[in-house]
Amino acid sequence: MRMIAINVWRNHAFEPVVALARAYQAYGRYSVDYRIGEYDDTLMFGSHQPADMELLWIDSSRYLENISFEDWLAWLSLRVRSLRNISNSPVIVATWLGHASQSEQLRAMLEQVPAVFFADMQEVCNEAGVNLLDLRTAAMAGTPISNPAQPLLARKLACHWVPAATFPPIKVVALDLDNTLHAGILGEDGIPGVQLTPAHQTLQLFIKSLQQRGIFIALVSRNEREDVEALFSERDDYPLRWNDFSAVEVSWGDKATALANIAKALRIAPDAILFVDDNPGELASVVAQLPGIHTVYATPDAMQTQRVVEHYPGLWRWKVEADDARRVKDMKANAERDELLKEAMDPTDYFRSLQTELVFRYDPIDQLGRLADLCNKTNQFNLAMRRFNQAELADRMARHDACVVSVRMSDRLSDSGVIAVIVAERQDGRLMIEELCISCRAMGRQLEDTLILEALRGMPVLSGCTDIVFCARVGPRNQPAFAWLSRMLDNDKIIEDGFYPVPVVRLSNFASPEGISLI
């Protein structure tokens, strides 16, 4: 079970939520050491100690009784920036406001500070139709938050807010078919006989919506493949269509093997998959063979299954970026790229046929969210495993002796969005590469050398350096990054944790393949 530490800065009681949140945390297989400070309206952050996350649990009404909203917003901005100066950890500001326009102003203010998120308590309660406040019990409870609101906020905190700020995200939801996406068994009931209940229809609509968040959908079923294809072709009432699945494994084989195949096809690790199945024995078998994979039991009540999936830690996102929606389409285009590569007579023909374009940006402060996602989501081509967050990236962008470069990729098949990030700092005439990440979607396109070396060549801090030093740390699955470094070093030896210099002249001697537009 994972253990994290959270500093809690508050001006009203947080303790009632702690007790309720623990059960949801256990469901998410993590526990929290809450370091709860004294009531402090001034938010001085005294006795600060390093933590995985900072939580501001504040009652805004205590301030707004005495000062205007605009003055409070300006003061809170200063306090959040003060906290950011002493902590690079994600910050969640959990509070509520009386008007939606004020909430939007607060959200906009917080988005200006890297890795700071607004947890809108009022929004959570509005969605559930529950009163957030109960002033009758405020004096006795130490908080105006009502009893009905507390479990809602505990669930939101433990299942959405904390995991989205601190944990690697779930990237794939893999679903069984029979008695999961519909009621009944296709092989026994036939296509007309399986039932799409209203709850199953709503579940399918929810699953389909995950694609807009950049989450892949996969199908794992023990059936005849032609029967399943015919089902999705003939049942017009099914919201999910065959083409919605980014990977399909339909056979009579082992489901753990099927899920491993899905992970390989989508170039992700099994621990980024959430598997939903109605057979507890099947779930246990999968977990035994693929440790780290996430599982959910699909109950006969599809509405309940949907609630469990919706609240599975790691599936919810603070914000949906434009690159998220592109991800599913881009991965599907990889199959066509692979075919073009097999048929191409030489690399130039291949790149020209695709109209490949790489765009390099240096210290792009407007891409902080995407770059932090890359640092934290990328496992296979992640050379240093530093896991920079938004605050740390913003710090490097502001320094004269450091640089962050992003690489955006597109071709005629799809816009892949920002697919690579390199973080570097200059030390004694050397360029130290602190972090080097490439999205798994961009791997295998014969572009690793071009996007890395061209990105380094344009770094202002490279001027006058004699060596480029790559920081390498062995991770569970970053062998592709190590294979690239080994090739760059002309070294067949196994690379271990350490620092590996490459002469800058290597950049001068590198020529990008023809047919690629570099911008």
Side-chain angles (χ1 to χ4, degrees):
M1 178 174 286
R2 188 177 314 185
M3 178 76 182
I4 63 171
I6 299 179
N7 290 332
V8 181
W9 313 99
R10 49 81 177 266
N11 68 354
H12 65 116
F14 179 67
E15 290 82 351
V17 172
V18 172
L20 296 167
R22 293 200 191 285
Y24 295 110
Q25 291 162 191
Y27 165 64
R29 294 187 287 183
Y30 74 99
S31 62
V32 181
D33 173 18
Y34 291 106
R35 301 162 180 171
I36 305 174
E38 300 296 326
Y39 286 12
D40 179 14
D41 283 320
T42 66
L43 298 180
M44 292 301 291
F45 312 120
S47 303
H48 180 272
Q49 53 184 323
D52 299 292
M53 202 188 89
E54 313 282 345
L55 173 63
L56 273 62
W57 188 260
I58 52 178
D59 174 357
S60 59
S61 65
R62 291 171 63 93
Y63 305 96
L64 298 178
E65 290 174 353
N66 301 306
I67 61 175
S68 69
F69 171 73
E70 288 74 18
D71 288 344
W72 175 73
L73 198 63
W75 171 84
L76 183 62
S77 174
L78 291 174
R79 298 316 307 151
V80 169
R81 291 174 188 276
S82 176
L83 180 58
R84 173 53 69 231
N85 287 335
I86 60 175
S87 171
N88 280 328
S89 298
V91 177
I92 294 178
V93 178
T95 190
W96 64 90
L97 290 160
H99 304 285
S101 61
Q102 293 178 335
S103 297
E104 289 308 307
Q105 290 180 66
L106 174 58
R107 192 186 309 279
M109 183 275 285
L110 295 177
E111 285 180 351
Q112 295 175 21
V113 189
V116 178
F117 309 100
F118 173 34
D120 190 342
M121 297 182 183
Q122 187 64 65
E123 185 178 71
V124 173
C125 291
N126 286 348
E127 289 175 357
V130 168
N131 289 329
L132 170 63
L133 304 178
D134 186 349
L135 300 181
R136 299 171 302 172
T137 59
M140 184 171 59
T143 174
I145 295 177
S146 69
N147 287 336
Q150 288 174 5
L152 281 176
L153 296 173
R155 184 177 66 177
K156 190 72 176 179
L157 178 74
C159 296
H160 287 176
W161 293 339
V162 172
T166 59
F167 295 167
I170 299 290
K171 297 180 181 178
V172 181
V173 175
L175 299 122
D176 172 44
L177 177 64
D178 292 331
N179 288 322
T180 298
L181 290 179
H182 57 217
I185 300 174
L186 178 61
E188 298 177 1
D189 301 319
I191 293 175
V194 291
Q195 299 177 42
L196 184 70
T197 68
H200 283 99
Q201 186 173 46
T202 304
L203 171 64
Q204 288 198 22
L205 285 168
F206 166 71
I207 296 297
K208 193 179 180 80
S209 73
L210 295 177
Q211 295 177 99
Q212 295 304 312
R213 305 185 205 170
I215 296 168
F216 297 109
I217 306 169
L219 183 66
V220 183
S221 174
R222 279 207 177 98
N223 265 301
E224 295 295 338
R225 185 181 177 101
E226 53 267 31
D227 292 346
V228 179
E229 285 192 66
L231 171 78
F232 283 99
S233 174
E234 295 178 20
R235 289 293 294 260
D236 293 336
D237 53 337
Y238 275 38
L240 279 171
R241 311 309 301 167
W242 182 259
N243 287 335
D244 288 327
F245 299 105
S246 298
V248 174
E249 287 285 330
V250 180
S251 71
W252 297 104
D254 181 57
K255 287 197 174 177
T257 302
L259 289 162
N261 291 339
I262 285 171
K264 184 177 180 181
L266 298 178
R267 304 176 184 176
I268 61 162
D271 62 7
I273 296 177
L274 174 62
F275 177 45
V276 185
D277 196 298
D278 68 308
N279 185 334
E282 200 77 79
L283 294 173
S285 173
V286 164
V287 170
Q289 296 180 66
L290 298 174
I293 196 168
H294 305 263
T295 58
V296 160
Y297 169 59
T299 73
D301 181 354
M303 185 180 297
Q304 185 177 354
T305 302
Q306 180 182 336
R307 275 200 301 270
V308 175
V309 174
E310 274 186 299
H311 291 91
Y312 196 88
L315 202 59
W316 185 82
R317 310 283 193 262
W318 282 103
K319 186 177 182 181
V320 177
E321 304 275 0
D323 281 341
D324 293 327
R326 294 189 185 102
R327 190 169 299 125
V328 175
K329 180 183 177 184
D330 192 36
M331 186 59 83
K332 287 184 176 178
N334 269 343
E336 190 171 348
R337 292 187 184 100
D338 291 343
E339 289 302 314
L340 286 172
L341 183 59
K342 291 177 186 174
E343 298 170 0
M345 299 298 291
D346 61 53
T348 300
D349 288 342
Y350 170 65
F351 292 124
R352 280 182 177 155
S353 69
L354 280 177
Q355 301 168 19
T356 302
E357 182 178 281
L358 299 177
V359 179
F360 303 90
R361 290 190 60 196
Y362 295 87
D363 297 331
I365 195 72
D366 58 314
Q367 294 179 348
L368 273 179
R370 172 58 184 156
L371 300 184
D373 277 353
L374 272 173
C375 291
N376 287 280
K377 293 178 180 177
T378 307
N379 293 310
Q380 297 179 67
F381 210 113
N382 186 325
L383 191 57
M385 307 297 290
R386 281 287 305 267
R387 307 296 193 193
F388 282 93
N389 64 30
Q390 290 186 38
E392 292 166 324
L393 290 172
D395 172 71
R396 296 301 191 280
M397 291 181 187
R399 286 167 42 183
H400 296 299
D401 62 346
C403 184
V404 178
V405 56
S406 72
V407 186
R408 183 187 188 96
M409 179 186 292
S410 64
D411 59 26
R412 66 176 176 80
L413 297 179
S414 71
D415 180 356
S416 303
V418 176
I419 47 79
V421 56
I422 303 176
V423 184
E425 67 174 347
R426 182 177 177 137
Q427 294 180 9
D428 300 325
R430 297 179 136 194
L431 189 67
M432 306 293 293
I433 308 303
E434 298 183 278
E435 182 75 292
L436 166 54
C437 299
I438 300 176
S439 167
C440 60
R441 287 181 291 121
M443 291 165 55
R445 301 193 201 179
Q446 314 296 313
L447 287 168
E448 288 87 350
D449 287 1
T450 301
L451 65 88
I452 295 171
L453 300 183
E454 293 289 356
L456 293 175
R457 194 143 57 184
M459 280 190 170
V461 289
L462 177 66
S463 178
C465 289
T466 56
D467 292 307
I468 299 169
V469 181
F470 292 94
C471 308
R473 187 162 73 87
V474 178
R477 291 175 291 279
N478 60 349
Q479 293 85 0
F482 274 55
W484 176 86
L485 181 58
S486 180
R487 186 164 53 79
M488 191 59 48
L489 296 169
D490 298 320
N491 184 354
D492 293 333
K493 296 179 181 177
I494 297 174
I495 297 176
E496 300 175 341
D497 291 0
F499 301 93
Y500 295 87
V502 173
V504 167
V505 69
R506 183 71 183 263
L507 295 186
S508 306
N509 296 335
F510 175 73
S512 298
E514 295 182 17
I516 304 173
S517 297
L518 304 176
I519 299 172

